[in-house]
PDB file of all heavy atoms in Angstrom:
ATOM      1  N   ARG A  49      32.770  34.012  22.039  1.00 89.00           N
ATOM      2  CA  ARG A  49      33.022  32.654  22.567  1.00 89.00           C
ATOM      3  C   ARG A  49      32.321  31.504  21.855  1.00 89.00           C
ATOM      4  O   ARG A  49      32.408  30.381  22.332  1.00 89.00           O
ATOM      5  CB  ARG A  49      32.792  32.658  24.105  1.00 89.00           C
ATOM      6  CG  ARG A  49      33.465  33.590  24.868  1.00 89.00           C
ATOM      7  CD  ARG A  49      33.478  33.278  26.370  1.00 89.00           C
ATOM      8  NE  ARG A  49      32.187  33.311  26.914  1.00 89.00           N
ATOM      9  CZ  ARG A  49      31.962  33.086  28.208  1.00 89.00           C
ATOM     10  NH1 ARG A  49      32.868  32.687  28.985  1.00 89.00           N
ATOM     11  NH2 ARG A  49      30.638  33.190  28.669  1.00 89.00           N
ATOM     12  N   ASP A  50      31.714  31.708  20.745  1.00 90.00           N
ATOM     13  CA  ASP A  50      31.127  30.637  20.032  1.00 90.00           C
ATOM     14  C   ASP A  50      31.132  30.922  18.516  1.00 90.00           C
ATOM     15  O   ASP A  50      30.077  30.678  17.849  1.00 90.00           O
ATOM     16  CB  ASP A  50      29.795  30.359  20.551  1.00 90.00           C
ATOM     17  CG  ASP A  50      29.276  28.900  20.175  1.00 90.00           C
ATOM     18  OD1 ASP A  50      30.086  28.023  19.913  1.00 90.00           O
ATOM     19  OD2 ASP A  50      28.048  28.753  20.185  1.00 90.00           O
ATOM     20  N   LEU A  51      32.222  31.540  17.967  1.00 94.00           N
ATOM     21  CA  LEU A  51      32.107  31.891  16.527  1.00 94.00           C
ATOM     22  C   LEU A  51      32.393  30.652  15.664  1.00 94.00           C
ATOM     23  O   LEU A  51      33.336  29.968  15.759  1.00 94.00           O
ATOM     24  CB  LEU A  51      33.318  32.839  16.288  1.00 94.00           C
ATOM     25  CG  LEU A  51      33.450  33.354  14.873  1.00 94.00           C
ATOM     26  CD1 LEU A  51      32.133  33.966  14.342  1.00 94.00           C
ATOM     27  CD2 LEU A  51      34.623  34.375  14.812  1.00 94.00           C
ATOM     28  N   LYS A  52      31.401  30.265  14.928  1.00 92.00           N
ATOM     29  CA  LYS A  52      31.385  29.214  14.029  1.00 92.00           C
ATOM     30  C   LYS A  52      30.471  29.434  12.913  1.00 92.00           C
ATOM     31  O   LYS A  52      29.551  30.262  12.879  1.00 92.00           O
ATOM     32  CB  LYS A  52      31.030  27.882  14.782  1.00 92.00           C
ATOM     33  CG  LYS A  52      29.685  27.906  15.448  1.00 92.00           C
ATOM     34  CD  LYS A  52      29.385  26.783  16.262  1.00 92.00           C
ATOM     35  CE  LYS A  52      27.953  26.830  16.908  1.00 92.00           C
ATOM     36  NZ  LYS A  52      27.753  25.616  17.713  1.00 92.00           N
ATOM     37  N   SER A  87      31.856  25.715  20.913  1.00 68.00           N
ATOM     38  CA  SER A  87      31.973  24.508  20.246  1.00 68.00           C
ATOM     39  C   SER A  87      33.384  23.918  20.248  1.00 68.00           C
ATOM     40  O   SER A  87      34.383  24.690  19.978  1.00 68.00           O
ATOM     41  CB  SER A  87      31.511  24.686  18.794  1.00 68.00           C
ATOM     42  OG  SER A  87      30.242  25.212  18.725  1.00 68.00           O
ATOM     43  N   CYS A  90      35.979  24.464  17.601  1.00 81.00           N
ATOM     44  CA  CYS A  90      36.339  25.903  17.287  1.00 81.00           C
ATOM     45  C   CYS A  90      37.085  26.685  18.330  1.00 81.00           C
ATOM     46  O   CYS A  90      37.537  27.806  18.095  1.00 81.00           O
ATOM     47  CB  CYS A  90      35.084  26.638  16.898  1.00 81.00           C
ATOM     48  SG  CYS A  90      34.166  25.921  15.485  1.00 81.00           S
ATOM     49  N   ILE A  91      37.151  26.119  19.567  1.00 82.00           N
ATOM     50  CA  ILE A  91      37.653  26.943  20.730  1.00 82.00           C
ATOM     51  C   ILE A  91      39.203  26.981  20.746  1.00 82.00           C
ATOM     52  O   ILE A  91      39.864  26.001  20.377  1.00 82.00           O
ATOM     53  CB  ILE A  91      37.054  26.518  21.987  1.00 82.00           C
ATOM     54  CG1 ILE A  91      37.488  25.071  22.385  1.00 82.00           C
ATOM     55  CG2 ILE A  91      35.499  26.552  21.966  1.00 82.00           C
ATOM     56  CD1 ILE A  91      37.012  24.652  23.781  1.00 82.00           C
ATOM     57  N   ALA A  92      39.757  28.011  21.259  1.00 86.00           N
ATOM     58  CA  ALA A  92      41.101  28.271  21.473  1.00 86.00           C
ATOM     59  C   ALA A  92      41.709  27.330  22.520  1.00 86.00           C
ATOM     60  O   ALA A  92      41.009  27.026  23.478  1.00 86.00           O
ATOM     61  CB  ALA A  92      41.404  29.657  21.712  1.00 86.00           C
ATOM     62  N   LEU A  95      41.296  27.780  26.331  1.00 78.00           N
ATOM     63  CA  LEU A  95      39.956  27.592  26.981  1.00 78.00           C
ATOM     64  C   LEU A  95      39.853  26.216  27.644  1.00 78.00           C
ATOM     65  O   LEU A  95      38.996  25.946  28.445  1.00 78.00           O
ATOM     66  CB  LEU A  95      38.861  27.699  25.950  1.00 78.00           C
ATOM     67  CG  LEU A  95      38.535  29.173  25.525  1.00 78.00           C
ATOM     68  CD1 LEU A  95      37.633  29.213  24.390  1.00 78.00           C
ATOM     69  CD2 LEU A  95      37.834  29.889  26.753  1.00 78.00           C
ATOM     70  N   SER A 106      41.095  37.417  22.259  1.00 94.00           N
ATOM     71  CA  SER A 106      41.825  36.757  21.197  1.00 94.00           C
ATOM     72  C   SER A 106      41.257  35.245  20.905  1.00 94.00           C
ATOM     73  O   SER A 106      41.556  34.676  19.997  1.00 94.00           O
ATOM     74  CB  SER A 106      43.312  36.684  21.508  1.00 94.00           C
ATOM     75  OG  SER A 106      43.608  35.905  22.663  1.00 94.00           O
ATOM     76  N   VAL A 107      40.441  34.805  21.975  1.00 92.00           N
ATOM     77  CA  VAL A 107      39.887  33.450  21.737  1.00 92.00           C
ATOM     78  C   VAL A 107      38.905  33.460  20.522  1.00 92.00           C
ATOM     79  O   VAL A 107      38.762  32.492  19.715  1.00 92.00           O
ATOM     80  CB  VAL A 107      39.132  32.853  22.975  1.00 92.00           C
ATOM     81  CG1 VAL A 107      40.189  32.690  24.078  1.00 92.00           C
ATOM     82  CG2 VAL A 107      37.956  33.668  23.435  1.00 92.00           C
ATOM     83  N   ASP A 108      38.283  34.623  20.305  1.00 95.00           N
ATOM     84  CA  ASP A 108      37.409  34.760  19.187  1.00 95.00           C
ATOM     85  C   ASP A 108      38.150  34.814  17.866  1.00 95.00           C
ATOM     86  O   ASP A 108      37.698  34.262  16.813  1.00 95.00           O
ATOM     87  CB  ASP A 108      36.528  35.985  19.268  1.00 95.00           C
ATOM     88  CG  ASP A 108      35.423  35.907  20.373  1.00 95.00           C
ATOM     89  OD1 ASP A 108      35.079  34.795  20.699  1.00 95.00           O
ATOM     90  OD2 ASP A 108      35.100  37.004  20.798  1.00 95.00           O
ATOM     91  N   VAL A 109      39.413  35.297  17.939  1.00 97.00           N
ATOM     92  CA  VAL A 109      40.239  35.239  16.716  1.00 97.00           C
ATOM     93  C   VAL A 109      40.709  33.955  16.299  1.00 97.00           C
ATOM     94  O   VAL A 109      40.673  33.496  15.165  1.00 97.00           O
ATOM     95  CB  VAL A 109      41.475  36.246  16.926  1.00 97.00           C
ATOM     96  CG1 VAL A 109      42.465  36.136  15.763  1.00 97.00           C
ATOM     97  CG2 VAL A 109      41.000  37.634  17.179  1.00 97.00           C
ATOM     98  N   PHE A 110      40.939  33.056  17.327  1.00 94.00           N
ATOM     99  CA  PHE A 110      41.262  31.723  17.018  1.00 94.00           C
ATOM    100  C   PHE A 110      40.126  30.987  16.381  1.00 94.00           C
ATOM    101  O   PHE A 110      40.285  30.272  15.336  1.00 94.00           O
ATOM    102  CB  PHE A 110      41.628  30.931  18.355  1.00 94.00           C
ATOM    103  CG  PHE A 110      42.156  29.499  18.150  1.00 94.00           C
ATOM    104  CD1 PHE A 110      43.453  29.319  18.146  1.00 94.00           C
ATOM    105  CD2 PHE A 110      41.210  28.528  17.996  1.00 94.00           C
ATOM    106  CE1 PHE A 110      43.911  27.968  17.840  1.00 94.00           C
ATOM    107  CE2 PHE A 110      41.673  27.185  17.756  1.00 94.00           C
ATOM    108  CZ  PHE A 110      43.081  26.897  17.688  1.00 94.00           C
ATOM    109  N   SER A 111      38.945  31.246  16.910  1.00 94.00           N
ATOM    110  CA  SER A 111      37.711  30.675  16.274  1.00 94.00           C
ATOM    111  C   SER A 111      37.539  31.110  14.875  1.00 94.00           C
ATOM    112  O   SER A 111      37.003  30.363  14.037  1.00 94.00           O
ATOM    113  CB  SER A 111      36.499  30.989  17.237  1.00 94.00           C
ATOM    114  OG  SER A 111      36.626  30.430  18.418  1.00 94.00           O
ATOM    115  N   TYR A 112      37.883  32.353  14.597  1.00 97.00           N
ATOM    116  CA  TYR A 112      37.722  32.850  13.275  1.00 97.00           C
ATOM    117  C   TYR A 112      38.666  32.102  12.301  1.00 97.00           C
ATOM    118  O   TYR A 112      38.188  31.872  11.077  1.00 97.00           O
ATOM    119  CB  TYR A 112      38.018  34.414  13.251  1.00 97.00           C
ATOM    120  CG  TYR A 112      37.780  35.031  11.890  1.00 97.00           C
ATOM    121  CD1 TYR A 112      36.416  35.334  11.459  1.00 97.00           C
ATOM    122  CD2 TYR A 112      38.795  35.529  11.072  1.00 97.00           C
ATOM    123  CE1 TYR A 112      36.245  35.976  10.237  1.00 97.00           C
ATOM    124  CE2 TYR A 112      38.543  36.116   9.890  1.00 97.00           C
ATOM    125  CZ  TYR A 112      37.269  36.316   9.471  1.00 97.00           C
ATOM    126  OH  TYR A 112      37.004  36.909   8.225  1.00 97.00           O
ATOM    127  N   ALA A 113      39.769  31.709  12.709  1.00 97.00           N
ATOM    128  CA  ALA A 113      40.609  30.893  11.857  1.00 97.00           C
ATOM    129  C   ALA A 113      39.938  29.567  11.429  1.00 97.00           C
ATOM    130  O   ALA A 113      39.991  29.233  10.236  1.00 97.00           O
ATOM    131  CB  ALA A 113      41.961  30.516  12.554  1.00 97.00           C
ATOM    132  N   THR A 114      39.310  28.919  12.434  1.00 94.00           N
ATOM    133  CA  THR A 114      38.521  27.709  12.101  1.00 94.00           C
ATOM    134  C   THR A 114      37.446  28.003  11.202  1.00 94.00           C
ATOM    135  O   THR A 114      37.035  27.269  10.296  1.00 94.00           O
ATOM    136  CB  THR A 114      38.075  26.976  13.364  1.00 94.00           C
ATOM    137  OG1 THR A 114      39.228  26.822  14.253  1.00 94.00           O
ATOM    138  CG2 THR A 114      37.524  25.671  13.103  1.00 94.00           C
ATOM    139  N   PHE A 115      36.707  29.150  11.461  1.00 95.00           N
ATOM    140  CA  PHE A 115      35.575  29.553  10.577  1.00 95.00           C
ATOM    141  C   PHE A 115      36.076  29.752   9.181  1.00 95.00           C
ATOM    142  O   PHE A 115      35.437  29.245   8.210  1.00 95.00           O
ATOM    143  CB  PHE A 115      35.095  30.921  11.245  1.00 95.00           C
ATOM    144  CG  PHE A 115      34.197  31.758  10.274  1.00 95.00           C
ATOM    145  CD1 PHE A 115      32.828  31.407  10.257  1.00 95.00           C
ATOM    146  CD2 PHE A 115      34.627  32.762   9.494  1.00 95.00           C
ATOM    147  CE1 PHE A 115      31.948  32.157   9.440  1.00 95.00           C
ATOM    148  CE2 PHE A 115      33.766  33.434   8.681  1.00 95.00           C
ATOM    149  CZ  PHE A 115      32.444  33.116   8.635  1.00 95.00           C
ATOM    150  N   LEU A 116      37.241  30.453   8.973  1.00 97.00           N
ATOM    151  CA  LEU A 116      37.727  30.571   7.623  1.00 97.00           C
ATOM    152  C   LEU A 116      38.006  29.255   6.977  1.00 97.00           C
ATOM    153  O   LEU A 116      37.723  28.961   5.815  1.00 97.00           O
ATOM    154  CB  LEU A 116      38.977  31.472   7.624  1.00 97.00           C
ATOM    155  CG  LEU A 116      38.799  32.930   7.829  1.00 97.00           C
ATOM    156  CD1 LEU A 116      40.204  33.654   7.979  1.00 97.00           C
ATOM    157  CD2 LEU A 116      37.960  33.580   6.766  1.00 97.00           C
ATOM    158  N   CYS A 165      45.883  33.787  12.790  1.00 97.00           N
ATOM    159  CA  CYS A 165      44.736  33.800  13.731  1.00 97.00           C
ATOM    160  C   CYS A 165      44.786  32.674  14.699  1.00 97.00           C
ATOM    161  O   CYS A 165      44.203  32.755  15.815  1.00 97.00           O
ATOM    162  CB  CYS A 165      43.431  33.847  12.969  1.00 97.00           C
ATOM    163  SG  CYS A 165      43.117  35.344  12.154  1.00 97.00           S
ATOM    164  N   TRP A 166      45.380  31.486  14.324  1.00 95.00           N
ATOM    165  CA  TRP A 166      45.337  30.361  15.266  1.00 95.00           C
ATOM    166  C   TRP A 166      46.729  30.073  15.980  1.00 95.00           C
ATOM    167  O   TRP A 166      46.999  28.992  16.366  1.00 95.00           O
ATOM    168  CB  TRP A 166      44.661  29.090  14.699  1.00 95.00           C
ATOM    169  CG  TRP A 166      45.412  28.367  13.564  1.00 95.00           C
ATOM    170  CD1 TRP A 166      46.692  28.409  13.291  1.00 95.00           C
ATOM    171  CD2 TRP A 166      44.785  27.501  12.687  1.00 95.00           C
ATOM    172  NE1 TRP A 166      46.941  27.638  12.182  1.00 95.00           N
ATOM    173  CE2 TRP A 166      45.806  27.055  11.845  1.00 95.00           C
ATOM    174  CE3 TRP A 166      43.475  26.962  12.531  1.00 95.00           C
ATOM    175  CZ2 TRP A 166      45.536  26.108  10.754  1.00 95.00           C
ATOM    176  CZ3 TRP A 166      43.275  26.023  11.551  1.00 95.00           C
ATOM    177  CH2 TRP A 166      44.217  25.618  10.663  1.00 95.00           C
ATOM    178  N   ARG A 173      48.316  36.654  18.021  1.00 97.00           N
ATOM    179  CA  ARG A 173      47.134  36.750  17.048  1.00 97.00           C
ATOM    180  C   ARG A 173      46.755  38.186  16.775  1.00 97.00           C
ATOM    181  O   ARG A 173      46.880  38.988  17.632  1.00 97.00           O
ATOM    182  CB  ARG A 173      45.915  35.955  17.697  1.00 97.00           C
ATOM    183  CG  ARG A 173      46.153  34.517  18.005  1.00 97.00           C
ATOM    184  CD  ARG A 173      45.011  33.883  18.778  1.00 97.00           C
ATOM    185  NE  ARG A 173      45.361  32.711  19.333  1.00 97.00           N
ATOM    186  CZ  ARG A 173      44.831  32.172  20.454  1.00 97.00           C
ATOM    187  NH1 ARG A 173      43.839  32.795  21.047  1.00 97.00           N
ATOM    188  NH2 ARG A 173      45.315  31.016  20.950  1.00 97.00           N
ATOM    189  N   PHE A 176      40.687  41.820  15.587  1.00 98.00           N
ATOM    190  CA  PHE A 176      39.744  41.920  14.503  1.00 98.00           C
ATOM    191  C   PHE A 176      39.850  43.330  13.739  1.00 98.00           C
ATOM    192  O   PHE A 176      39.507  43.425  12.598  1.00 98.00           O
ATOM    193  CB  PHE A 176      38.299  41.748  14.962  1.00 98.00           C
ATOM    194  CG  PHE A 176      38.014  40.275  14.986  1.00 98.00           C
ATOM    195  CD1 PHE A 176      37.974  39.606  16.161  1.00 98.00           C
ATOM    196  CD2 PHE A 176      37.765  39.603  13.846  1.00 98.00           C
ATOM    197  CE1 PHE A 176      37.600  38.173  16.188  1.00 98.00           C
ATOM    198  CE2 PHE A 176      37.474  38.247  13.835  1.00 98.00           C
ATOM    199  CZ  PHE A 176      37.390  37.568  14.975  1.00 98.00           C
TER     200      PHE A 176
END
Side-chain angles (χ1 to χ4, degrees):
R49 301 194 296 178
D50 199 23
L51 181 55
K52 58 184 178 180
S87 301
C90 301
I91 64 175
L95 284 169
S106 65
V107 299
D108 288 336
V109 175
F110 186 97
S111 297
Y112 187 70
T114 307
F115 167 84
L116 286 178
C165 290
W166 66 22
R173 299 171 198 156
F176 273 106

